[in-house]
Amino acid sequence: MSDAILICTTEVSDGFHATPRTGRKGPVPKRRYQEGTFRKENGHYYSFFYRDRKLLDGNTRSVFARIDLGEIGKISELQAHREHDRLRQQINTERGSVPTAPKGETFKDVATNYMKMIGPHLSISTVRQRNSHLNAHLLRRFSSSALMSLDVPTLQKFVNELHGKRSRKTIISILGVLTAVFDYAKKCNIRVPDLSLASLAIGGDRESPEAVYFKPSDVQHILENAREPYRTIFTLAAVTGLRAGELLGLTVKDIDFERNSIFPRRQADDRTRELRELKTKKSCSPVPITEETAAILQAYLKTQWKENPQGLLFPNRRGRPWKRDHVVKFGLWPIMKKLGLPTRRAGLHAFRHGLGTALADARVSPKVVQTILRHTDIKTTLRFYVHVDADVQRSALQHIQPLQCSDSLQ
């Protein structure tokens, strides 16, 4: 007999569920890691595992299967054991089952220690995001798993399940948290698989709507219809590209009229309504303003600004930072509705996108646009913050001279 092993599967208990029916939700297949059973019976070597079988209605049920590894005497016991081990890996991968880890080395253990030890050194927004991804996705799936079991097939199946439910950007962000936990585990001398995100196939978004941005004419009409302090808030958003949190977290001391620059130092946190660290180191870069913008700010400080304990440039009635949702809901959207502009997904960030697009349309160097928007990577500037509308396309086409037909063809 050749070295190839013929595998024949027989269901020992058709209809046997790994987890019995409970409540109204029906059967829930058990996903514990299986070692399987290896036996010699009736002159053959057999493996026994729970396997998934698809039903006609599209559901899946778990059945206890006997797999014939070969006849005793025609294959060695060593060959049969090797095939049993291969099947164990294959079947557990198909079912998304992973082996349990030693105490203290489960994914949950390492992730918890990571957030406890590294979390205090991260920004509040980063901690919030990583806790969200851990609780919503990673811990639900890999809580009791050993890190070494999270190999490429296991993670690829995880990515496949997320695809269509989460955007590509979110999936990459979730995997970024996983990578951070792996890096921490390495420093703690815990074995982790040697893999990179490049080894995983991550599909693009099926529908990725373009970010909302304001054209220069939109900005002009919005400012004409805005009252204070919204007019000054929108003006700064449109001419500086400051992010919403940075804008609402500005203090009077952050404005240097001698150098005509704004120096963002903190940003407003919508949840705590307190000031916290900026998004990136690049965010601390000074933001230049024109003489006209400086004059608008000076007029606002003279006639509209109210003193407050933190010296906020735009305090609310209680002297705290404005909540961006309130600025959008009560200041921006009413104007947009009046002007007939769609409000769906429109927020303060639309001014930032509009500035990037206006600069690009004015043929400003991409490097300068990146510097003004304070992006760490120029790819972010070009991919997400430069938009092309129909008017710009028509203008470009008008510069193309139409082909003239020769006299012989007329």
Side-chain angles (χ1 to χ4, degrees), residues 175-191:
L175 294 175
V177 177
L178 183 71
T179 301
V181 173
F182 279 6
D183 291 342
Y184 174 73
K186 286 181 183 178
K187 296 176 182 178
C188 297
N189 296 319
I190 298 175
R191 292 184 64 204

Side-chain angles (χ1 to χ4, degrees), residues 247-310:
L247 186 63
L248 300 177
L250 286 176
T251 65
V252 176
K253 293 182 179 179
D254 294 335
I255 305 173
D256 188 335
F257 288 108
E258 292 184 2
R259 289 184 283 180
N260 276 350
S261 296
I262 296 176
F263 293 83
R265 294 181 175 87
R266 309 281 281 177
Q267 63 177 323
D269 188 306
D270 260 12
R271 292 191 181 182
T272 63
R273 307 296 288 277
E274 296 178 355
L275 300 182
R276 58 178 172 81
E277 294 180 359
L278 294 174
K279 184 177 181 181
T280 64
K281 292 181 179 179
K282 198 79 173 177
S283 301
C284 299
S285 303
V287 180
I289 56 175
T290 63
E291 291 285 351
E292 182 181 3
T293 302
I296 292 173
L297 284 173
Q298 288 174 331
Y300 167 79
L301 289 172
K302 184 177 180 180
T303 62
Q304 301 292 331
W305 183 71
K306 296 181 180 180
E307 292 189 14
N308 59 91
Q310 299 184 79

Side-chain angles (χ1 to χ4, degrees), residues 22-46:
T22 56
R24 298 180 180 179
K25 294 184 179 181
V28 179
K30 187 180 286 186
R31 287 295 177 267
R32 292 179 181 174
Y33 188 82
Q34 300 182 77
E35 293 293 341
T37 302
F38 179 86
R39 292 181 188 168
K40 301 178 187 177
E41 291 182 355
N42 303 322
H44 286 253
Y45 296 110
Y46 291 101

Side-chain angles (χ1 to χ4, degrees), residues 306-318:
K306 296 181 180 180
E307 292 189 14
N308 59 91
Q310 299 184 79
L312 293 169
L313 183 62
F314 302 113
N316 65 7
R317 293 179 181 178
R318 298 182 180 180

Side-chain angles (χ1 to χ4, degrees), residues 336-355:
M336 293 182 67
K337 291 176 181 178
K338 179 181 178 181
L339 296 173
L341 297 174
T343 60
R344 190 170 189 273
R345 296 186 296 106
L348 291 176
H349 218 61
F351 289 105
R352 183 172 167 85
H353 280 266
L355 176 61

